[in-house]
Amino acid sequence: MKSVYIWHGDGWGGDKLNWMYAPARKTLAEGFKNYDVKIDVRVKCYDWKLVKPNSIFVWIGEYHADRVPWKQFKQKNIYTIYYQSEPWNEGKKWNFDAQEIWDYSMRNVVEIKKRVKNSKIVRYIPAGYLDSNKFMLTEKSKLVFFGDKRWRPQYQAVKNKLKDKMVNIFNIWNIKEFNNFVKKDGVGIFLNLHKHNKCICVEALRMSQLLSAGGLIISERSSQLDENMYKDFVIFTNDFEKEYNKLMNMSLEDRRELANKNLEKYKMDFSPRLIFERAKVNEII
């Protein structure tokens, strides 16, 4: 039986990548479960001798990706994959010596394919639906920005307009804290803002966390390539107040019905099994 290693580094911000990369890590593990493979998932492990020859090795994210012995792995017939986790125009390093690149954004995939050499394979593997506790929408729901507002210069203008209708949550770093957050009254409608006010790829890892929990999401406009993938369960607009008010003017029953419809559609379209099938991951097993 072939082994599949799904690893990534940590140590950033007090081991926060363990939570931030969890949607990608779990999606990959669930996707590979559909094949006859042995799955090894590790965080902050750099003991490369544990990786057996004739296996598949996936490294998630740029953090410590330069430590991976990519060339030595290939010499041992270890098939290497780099899971690229950053917006294309961030200027991060994306072309390590892996044999394939997997990416969470269709827009990123297109941009990388334009530049990649030696016909390297690039696959669209977004974080997908994962089992989760569910939000219970209530009569009075705030618009929640779930992330770090420091990297969103557009945040303050939106906050000035929406005032106390909008709140920022950036203190959740593990599943226990997230499950407690899900239970809170007035939580369930979210605003997605792009990093640095210029990265136009949909933040699939955050979408995975919130959509899997039945959240309603209003997002800043994105690349059309990515919007096409999420248009059935995310509201894309630059008039956040208008769309938030539309949701709040619905009856609570209708709002919950919309959230359930979006959840079921996301669960079907972004199941890890289907994500892997669309990307033809079976080609490497």
Side-chain angles (χ1 to χ4, degrees), residues 192-205:
N192 183 61
L193 297 173
H194 300 312
K195 196 175 180 183
H196 300 319
N197 198 23
K198 63 181 181 179
C199 304
I200 60 173
C201 44
V202 168
E203 289 76 3
L205 277 67

Side-chain angles (χ1 to χ4, degrees), residues 60-158:
I60 302 173
E62 185 197 30
Y63 194 75
H64 291 164
D66 55 351
R67 293 192 188 183
V68 178
W70 301 102
K71 291 181 180 178
Q72 291 92 322
F73 276 176
K74 280 186 273 189
Q75 291 168 1
K76 295 180 179 179
N77 200 31
I78 297 168
Y79 196 80
T80 54
I81 300 162
Y82 173 58
Y83 190 96
Q84 205 288 127
S85 63
E86 301 296 330
W88 168 254
N89 54 331
E90 280 283 89
K92 303 285 188 178
K93 185 175 180 181
W94 55 269
N95 194 14
F96 292 91
D97 288 322
Q99 286 154 283
E100 292 197 10
I101 298 172
W102 291 5
D103 201 291
Y104 69 97
S105 162
M106 185 62 79
R107 184 250 187 176
N108 281 352
V109 167
V110 170
E111 293 297 329
I112 290 172
K113 281 184 175 180
K114 289 178 184 176
R115 296 161 175 83
V116 79
K117 296 179 180 178
N118 302 322
S119 300
K120 184 178 289 190
I121 296 171
V122 185
R123 301 184 199 263
Y124 174 58
I125 311 278
Y129 173 80
L130 300 166
D131 287 339
S132 172
N133 288 355
K134 301 298 188 284
F135 297 111
M136 178 57 71
L137 291 169
T138 56
E139 199 65 55
K140 296 180 180 179
S141 293
K142 301 276 189 179
L143 183 60
V144 178
F145 173 63
F146 191 68
D148 191 347
K149 64 184 180 181
R150 292 177 302 169
W151 306 116
R152 276 82 181 175
Q154 69 275 46
Y155 173 86
Q156 195 56 52
V158 180

Side-chain angles (χ1 to χ4, degrees), residues 23-285:
R25 184 178 68 240
K26 292 178 180 179
T27 296
L28 298 184
E30 289 299 315
F32 276 115
K33 283 180 182 178
N34 294 285
Y35 306 98
D36 186 23
V37 296
K38 181 181 178 182
I39 301 168
D40 182 297
V41 179
R42 295 177 191 251
V43 177
K44 209 174 180 179
C45 177
Y46 307 98
D47 189 355
W48 311 117
K49 67 179 181 292
L50 295 175
V51 183
K52 298 177 181 178
N54 306 309
S55 61
I56 297 170
F57 178 85
V58 185
W59 184 266
I60 302 173
E62 185 197 30
Y63 194 75
H64 291 164
D66 55 351
R67 293 192 188 183
V68 178
W70 301 102
K71 291 181 180 178
Q72 291 92 322
F73 276 176
K74 280 186 273 189
Q75 291 168 1
K76 295 180 179 179
N77 200 31
I78 297 168
Y79 196 80
T80 54
I81 300 162
Y82 173 58
Y83 190 96
Q84 205 288 127
S85 63
E86 301 296 330
W88 168 254
N89 54 331
E90 280 283 89
K92 303 285 188 178
K93 185 175 180 181
W94 55 269
N95 194 14
F96 292 91
D97 288 322
Q99 286 154 283
E100 292 197 10
I101 298 172
W102 291 5
D103 201 291
Y104 69 97
S105 162
M106 185 62 79
R107 184 250 187 176
N108 281 352
V109 167
V110 170
E111 293 297 329
I112 290 172
K113 281 184 175 180
K114 289 178 184 176
R115 296 161 175 83
V116 79
K117 296 179 180 178
N118 302 322
S119 300
K120 184 178 289 190
I121 296 171
V122 185
R123 301 184 199 263
Y124 174 58
I125 311 278
Y129 173 80
L130 300 166
D131 287 339
S132 172
N133 288 355
K134 301 298 188 284
F135 297 111
M136 178 57 71
L137 291 169
T138 56
E139 199 65 55
K140 296 180 180 179
S141 293
K142 301 276 189 179
L143 183 60
V144 178
F145 173 63
F146 191 68
D148 191 347
K149 64 184 180 181
R150 292 177 302 169
W151 306 116
R152 276 82 181 175
Q154 69 275 46
Y155 173 86
Q156 195 56 52
V158 180
K159 175 66 174 174
N160 290 344
K161 193 169 184 179
L162 288 164
K163 297 184 171 56
D164 62 352
K165 294 178 183 177
M166 179 175 167
V167 295
N168 177 218
I169 300 294
F170 189 57
N171 60 355
I172 294 171
W173 297 108
N174 57 58
I175 191 62
K176 181 180 179 180
E177 291 174 351
F178 184 75
N179 286 340
N180 288 334
F181 171 65
V182 165
K183 298 175 188 175
K184 286 190 174 182
D185 188 50
V187 169
I189 303 177
F190 296 90
L191 175 64
N192 183 61
L193 297 173
H194 300 312
K195 196 175 180 183
H196 300 319
N197 198 23
K198 63 181 181 179
C199 304
I200 60 173
C201 44
V202 168
E203 289 76 3
L205 277 67
R206 184 174 295 118
M207 293 292 181
S208 172
Q209 289 175 330
L210 301 179
L211 287 171
S212 294
L216 290 169
I217 300 181
I218 300 169
S219 176
E220 195 170 14
R221 294 306 301 260
S222 307
S223 161
Q224 195 62 55
L225 291 166
D226 281 342
E227 285 193 16
N228 289 343
M229 306 305 296
Y230 288 86
K231 62 184 179 181
D232 289 337
F233 24 80
V234 174
I235 301 167
F236 291 99
T237 182
N238 286 329
D239 192 340
F240 311 124
E241 185 175 31
K242 177 182 176 182
E243 296 300 333
Y244 170 72
N245 288 337
K246 274 187 186 178
L247 291 174
M248 294 309 296
N249 286 334
M250 296 170 67
S251 69
L252 179 58
E253 182 180 358
D254 286 347
R255 207 157 60 238
R256 286 178 173 172
E257 185 178 337
L258 176 62
N260 288 333
K261 179 176 75 82
N262 290 353
L263 172 62
E264 290 306 312
K265 180 68 171 167
Y266 181 71
K267 184 177 181 178
M268 180 174 64
D269 290 357
F270 276 72
S271 72
R273 177 191 59 77
L274 189 56
I275 288 169
F276 270 46
E277 284 181 3
R278 283 195 298 254
K280 299 181 179 179
V281 173
N282 63 295
E283 294 174 342
I284 67 170
I285 304 298

